[in-house]
Every structure is written in structure tokens, then in C-alpha cells.
Amino acid sequence: MDRHIPFSRLHNFRDLGGYPTPDGLRVRPGRLYRADSLGKLIPGTPDWDRFLSLGIRTVIDLRHPREAETSGRVPSHPSFTYHNLSIEHRPYNQAAQTPDVDPGPYLAERYMEVAQDGTKEIHGALELMAEADAPLVFHCASGKDRTGQLAALVLSLLGIPDTTITEDFTLTELATSALLADWRARNDGRTPTWPAFGRAPASAMRLFLASMNARYGSTEAYVTQALGMDAKALSATLRTTLLEPPPTTTPNLTYRKATPDDASLLVRLRDTAALWQLARGITQWQPGEKDELHFRTRMQEGEVWLAYADETPAGAWELWWTDPAAWGPRPPDAGYIHRLMTTPHTSPPGTGRHLLAEAESRITATGRPYARLDCLASNPRLRAYYESAGYTVVGEQTAKDGGSGSPYAVTLLEKRLR
């Protein structure tokens, strides 16, 4: 599941459904959405039809009224109510910041200002969420800062862990290039002074959540002390409305070899997995490291496979027939598995193991007796995962050159296939 719902004019419209809670529930899909400005919707267009098809009954616009006046608000329609709750009382110009401004601390400070200034409006937004018995969407201009802050609050009240809240915040990174293009189009082709414009670094949300805990003790305490609400009752109501048990059955996975037309999908899958890692302090992958050309090249020189749950992408992997950078010259006795990735939170349980098994079966079909792979030597969690899947550590390459120009150490793992 790609959380970004595709629109032509909207770039950051996302479903918050599917995130798991520690007690075994999940956010109900199709009930709570976050978005960039809905003022870009135009009646009579496919975008408008798609928006109405979601069954949304409540729209919360977190922008200042003057933003809605100058940039437009969501068109009126009898199927939903519109509420303008401007939670930001001290406007600031991100695009004009100088390159030396660190986005993490800077954004976290602005979010704390909103948390302190916008209590009346945040109170109102949370009340609307608690009262809603049908799909609801909340949005600001880019769907990043004000929207991200409100998303953090409601997800925290639902019991979603901070790492997942941080991950959800960073998913705006998948829309950054489009948001930046929109800004340039509105500003005569100029480029923002601030290189971090449109970015959503994990550090910003981590620092904001840490600041909230330091000042109030917890999200619930903030809701009680600053918003004057019964946090326990609010949390219980939101959980009843927005959480559900996960499905008791899961679809079978199907597989197909990727084609060049799938390159953009593969980039998005990898960048999504990279953001999942970074939200948890894992620095193995970075968004943007592998572009469409990378995946097309891997298709020419080896194989790339996609996994689907029903018709929804659930994961992918690369299969190489040589890997001299990590393993040196070898006889043709193995397949080398790279970039094994699954869709966070929405792929069926055990998808990673199923993908490994499918890759191994493809290697076996070629008559090669070994499956090989490597992982960063500094990632013991991933090493343990592969060891539990039957792989054995057989060495270490201390200076693998993966093409980035910065050699790194990897652990080499091998599995004898039947």
C-alpha cells in the first residue's frame, strides 16, 4: 500500500490507516486522511471525482484564513462540512531561511510554538475527530508541518509508537520534489534560499516529541494541561472510532519479473523502506540513493522481481549473478540477493521470508547451489534476521565499493540451497 493517494494536483494526500498499535490493533484504513492544500481541487475534474469517492464528510483546514482566501479553499459540496482552524499564530517563511539553518531544531521549535499558541484550534480539531463517524481529512498548505503536528498528536493518542509517528512525518519526503516544483511555479521559477524547504527530516519530529515530553510529560498531559480536555476519555473515543483488529486472513503473494516501466515504482518502494529505517535510527539506506536508471540497469544485468498482495505491491528484490564488489571473483555457483524490501505496515506478515524463499527458488532453478547476500557490518539486527532465515556468516568485506565512492564494511552471508 502506497500511503500517497494519487492526484494530479495534490502531492501529499495520505491515508493514515494500517499503522499498528502495541496492543495488536491498527488504524482503520479509509477513515483518517492528511493532505496538502485541498484548494487545488477543481470540480468536474478526475481529482475532484477521486476526492469525493473517498466518502469524506469532514474537512479541517489548518491554514490561516488569509491563506484560504489567497490560495483557495476546498470547493463546497453538500457531502462534507468545512472547518477552518488556523493552529499557527506566528507565521514564518521557511523558503527564506538561510542555508546554515538546521531544519531539525528549527522546525521542532516552530512546532512547539504552534502547540502553545494554537490550543483553541487544536482542541477543536481533536473534538471534530472524536465526533466523526465517517472519513475525515485535515490539511495545511504542503501537508507537512501543521498537518504533521496534528497527525502526531492523534496518532499518539491512539497509542502509535513514536518511531512510527516519526516515519509517518518523513513520508512527505516522497512528495518534496513536487512540492518544490509547485513553489517555483508560484514564484517565477525561483529556488528557495533554504535547501531544506519542503523536507521532512526525522530529527524534526523526534525533537518535537522530545520537547513535548520534556515540557508536559506526555501527549496525554499536554491534552489535559494545555488543551483542557479529558485526555483519557478522548483517547478512548478515538481508539473506538479509528482502531480495528488486523485482518484474520491475508492474501497470497504473487510474483512477477519487473520491467523498465516499473522503475519509478521500485524507486518509491526503496525510498519508503529507507524512511522506515531512518525513523528507527538505522542508517543503511538513504532516500534518493537509487534512481530509475539503477533499477533498469539491474534488470539488464540480472533480475528484479516484484511481489504483490492481491493487486497491491508488497515488496521487491534484486537478483544478481555476480557480485565482485562484495564477494570478489567467484565461479557461477550462486545468486546474490540485494535490496530485499517490503512495504512497511501493510505487507502481509512474513512477507520478507516469502520473498527470500522465492528468490532462493529462482536461484535453485538455474542450478546454482548457493544464495548469497550481504548487509552492513554495523547492522546486527539485519544480520540476525538473515541468520534466522538459514544464512551463515562466512566473512566480511571491510571496504566494499558500492559505487558511491565511499567504501564501507559488510558482513557476508551464505545459504546452501537444496
Side-chain angles (χ1 to χ4, degrees):
M1 171 182 162
D2 188 338
R3 296 191 174 279
H4 282 82
I5 296 175
F7 288 87
S8 295
R9 293 173 60 85
L10 304 181
H11 311 303
N12 206 12
F13 195 109
R14 312 205 309 255
D15 189 345
L16 288 169
Y19 287 132
T21 64
D23 57 353
L25 300 176
R26 69 170 189 173
V27 180
R28 193 187 307 272
R31 287 299 302 271
L32 191 61
Y33 299 98
R34 52 176 294 172
D36 48 331
S37 174
L38 300 183
K40 293 180 281 188
L41 291 172
I42 300 173
T45 64
D47 272 3
W48 182 243
D49 293 342
R50 176 168 291 157
F51 175 74
L52 293 179
S53 73
L54 298 175
I56 289 169
R57 298 293 176 261
T58 306
V59 174
I60 302 175
D61 185 345
L62 302 175
R63 298 174 301 164
H64 193 278
R66 66 172 176 271
E67 292 178 86
E69 292 170 5
T70 59
S71 301
R73 50 150 284 184
V74 64
S76 298
H77 194 272
S79 65
F80 60 80
T81 59
Y82 170 80
H83 306 266
N84 187 197
L85 298 172
S86 176
I87 66 175
E88 183 182 273
H89 292 206
R90 284 181 261 183
Y92 56 101
N93 187 351
Q94 291 190 28
Q97 299 305 307
T98 53
D100 61 303
V101 174
D102 186 339
Y106 176 77
L107 291 174
E109 288 175 9
R110 304 292 79 74
Y111 299 168
M112 282 301 295
E113 290 175 355
V114 171
Q116 295 161 23
D117 297 345
T119 53
K120 177 181 176 181
E121 294 81 7
I122 295 171
H123 180 130
L126 291 174
E127 275 191 333
L128 287 170
M129 290 181 181
E131 295 167 357
D133 59 359
L136 175 150
V137 62
F138 55 99
H139 77 91
C140 56
S142 65
K144 177 172 76 78
D145 301 303
R146 290 164 286 188
T147 298
Q149 182 174 338
L150 186 57
L153 290 175
V154 68
L155 289 175
S156 181
L157 288 168
L158 290 172
I160 303 300
D162 284 359
T163 51
T164 304
I165 293 172
T166 300
E167 175 195 352
D168 178 73
F169 173 76
T170 65
L171 287 177
T172 288
E173 293 276 330
L174 300 178
T176 294
S177 60
L179 295 171
L180 183 57
D182 275 2
W183 189 93
R184 288 174 174 149
R186 294 192 307 269
N187 291 273
D188 302 319
R190 293 185 290 114
T191 296
T193 305
W194 198 32
F197 179 82
R199 302 296 303 276
S203 59
M205 183 52 64
R206 285 200 197 99
L207 288 170
F208 169 61
L209 294 173
S211 296
M212 288 285 282
N213 287 333
R215 184 177 181 88
Y216 298 102
S218 66
T219 299
E220 290 77 10
Y222 166 75
V223 169
T224 300
Q225 298 169 23
L227 305 186
M229 305 177 76
D230 185 334
K232 186 175 182 180
L234 175 62
S235 176
T237 300
L238 290 171
R239 285 175 59 86
T240 299
T241 302
L242 295 173
L243 297 184
E244 67 177 11
T248 55
T249 60
T250 56
N252 293 326
L253 294 173
T254 58
Y255 308 94
R256 69 171 176 84
K257 192 181 291 187
T259 70
D261 289 341
D262 296 312
S264 61
L265 169 61
L266 289 160
V267 170
R268 196 169 184 88
L269 284 172
R270 188 192 180 280
D271 286 351
T272 301
L275 292 170
W276 182 94
Q277 293 176 10
L278 291 173
R280 289 155 180 79
I282 302 169
T283 57
Q284 177 143 340
W285 290 358
Q286 296 289 330
E289 281 180 325
K290 304 299 179 185
D291 59 11
E292 293 184 22
L293 178 60
H294 164 85
F295 287 104
R296 293 193 184 102
T297 301
R298 296 321 316 167
M299 294 174 204
Q300 293 172 354
E301 299 179 356
E303 299 177 359
V304 182
W305 288 80
L306 282 161
Y308 286 82
D310 288 335
E311 297 181 359
T312 303
W317 73 92
E318 297 175 12
L319 194 54
W320 302 8
W321 303 121
T322 62
D323 187 6
W327 294 82
R330 294 270 180 158
D333 61 350
Y336 300 84
I337 302 169
H338 284 271
R339 261 161 292 284
L340 185 80
M341 49 192 171
T342 63
T343 53
H345 311 295
T346 57
S347 59
T351 293
R353 289 292 183 88
H354 289 300
L355 268 58
L356 270 179
E358 186 68 18
E360 291 161 6
S361 70
R362 173 63 184 142
I363 297 169
T364 299
T366 67
R368 292 171 171 83
Y370 293 101
R372 294 183 181 132
L373 48 81
D374 65 78
C375 65
L376 280 180
S378 58
N379 193 343
R381 177 178 174 181
L382 186 57
R383 167 180 164 169
Y385 175 82
Y386 287 128
E387 287 181 315
S388 68
Y391 285 79
T392 301
V393 174
V394 295
E396 183 171 298
Q397 167 60 271
T398 58
K400 177 182 176 179
D401 183 358
S404 65
S406 299
Y408 49 93
V410 295
T411 301
L412 305 176
L413 299 103
E414 180 180 86
K415 182 176 182 179
R416 175 81 184 195
L417 304 177
R418 294 180 179 177

Short mmCIF file of all heavy atoms in Angstrom, two decimals, residues 26 246-252 310 348-349:
data_model
loop_
_atom_site.label_atom_id
_atom_site.label_comp_id
_atom_site.label_asym_id
_atom_site.label_seq_id
_atom_site.Cartn_x
_atom_site.Cartn_y
_atom_site.Cartn_z
N ARG A 26 -4.92 -1.83 14.76
CA ARG A 26 -4.34 -1.00 13.73
C ARG A 26 -5.30 0.15 13.41
O ARG A 26 -6.51 0.05 13.67
CB ARG A 26 -4.08 -1.79 12.45
CG ARG A 26 -5.35 -2.23 11.72
CD ARG A 26 -5.05 -2.79 10.34
NE ARG A 26 -6.28 -2.99 9.58
CZ ARG A 26 -6.31 -3.34 8.30
NH1 ARG A 26 -5.18 -3.53 7.64
NH2 ARG A 26 -7.46 -3.50 7.67
N PRO A 246 -6.53 -6.27 13.19
CA PRO A 246 -5.99 -6.53 11.85
C PRO A 246 -6.76 -7.66 11.19
O PRO A 246 -7.45 -8.44 11.86
CB PRO A 246 -4.54 -6.92 12.11
CG PRO A 246 -4.52 -7.42 13.52
CD PRO A 246 -5.57 -6.63 14.26
N PRO A 247 -6.68 -7.80 9.88
CA PRO A 247 -7.40 -8.87 9.19
C PRO A 247 -6.97 -10.24 9.71
O PRO A 247 -5.80 -10.46 10.04
CB PRO A 247 -7.01 -8.68 7.73
CG PRO A 247 -6.53 -7.27 7.62
CD PRO A 247 -5.93 -6.93 8.94
N THR A 248 -7.91 -11.16 9.77
CA THR A 248 -7.58 -12.52 10.23
C THR A 248 -7.02 -13.37 9.09
O THR A 248 -6.40 -14.40 9.33
CB THR A 248 -8.83 -13.20 10.80
OG1 THR A 248 -9.88 -13.17 9.82
CG2 THR A 248 -9.30 -12.47 12.06
N THR A 249 -7.27 -12.95 7.86
CA THR A 249 -6.70 -13.66 6.71
C THR A 249 -5.92 -12.66 5.87
O THR A 249 -6.24 -11.47 5.85
CB THR A 249 -7.81 -14.30 5.85
OG1 THR A 249 -8.69 -13.28 5.37
CG2 THR A 249 -8.59 -15.32 6.66
N THR A 250 -4.91 -13.14 5.20
CA THR A 250 -4.09 -12.28 4.35
C THR A 250 -4.02 -12.88 2.95
O THR A 250 -4.06 -14.10 2.78
CB THR A 250 -2.67 -12.13 4.92
OG1 THR A 250 -2.09 -13.44 5.08
CG2 THR A 250 -2.69 -11.42 6.25
N PRO A 251 -3.92 -12.05 1.94
CA PRO A 251 -3.88 -12.57 0.57
C PRO A 251 -2.57 -13.28 0.29
O PRO A 251 -1.53 -12.98 0.90
CB PRO A 251 -4.01 -11.30 -0.28
CG PRO A 251 -3.51 -10.19 0.58
CD PRO A 251 -3.90 -10.57 1.98
N ASN A 252 -2.62 -14.24 -0.61
CA ASN A 252 -1.39 -14.89 -1.05
C ASN A 252 -0.56 -13.93 -1.88
O ASN A 252 -1.09 -13.08 -2.59
CB ASN A 252 -1.72 -16.15 -1.88
CG ASN A 252 -2.36 -17.23 -1.04
OD1 ASN A 252 -2.04 -17.40 0.13
ND2 ASN A 252 -3.27 -17.97 -1.65
N ASP A 310 -2.69 -9.45 -3.50
CA ASP A 310 -3.76 -9.11 -4.43
C ASP A 310 -3.14 -8.25 -5.54
O ASP A 310 -2.22 -8.68 -6.18
CB ASP A 310 -4.91 -8.40 -3.70
CG ASP A 310 -5.70 -9.38 -2.83
OD1 ASP A 310 -5.69 -10.58 -3.13
OD2 ASP A 310 -6.33 -8.93 -1.86
N PRO A 348 1.67 -8.36 3.99
CA PRO A 348 1.24 -9.44 4.89
C PRO A 348 2.37 -9.89 5.81
O PRO A 348 3.55 -9.79 5.47
CB PRO A 348 0.85 -10.56 3.91
CG PRO A 348 0.52 -9.86 2.64
CD PRO A 348 1.45 -8.69 2.57
N PRO A 349 2.04 -10.38 7.00
CA PRO A 349 3.07 -10.88 7.92
C PRO A 349 3.94 -11.94 7.25
O PRO A 349 3.45 -12.80 6.51
CB PRO A 349 2.25 -11.48 9.07
CG PRO A 349 0.93 -10.76 9.02
CD PRO A 349 0.67 -10.49 7.57
#
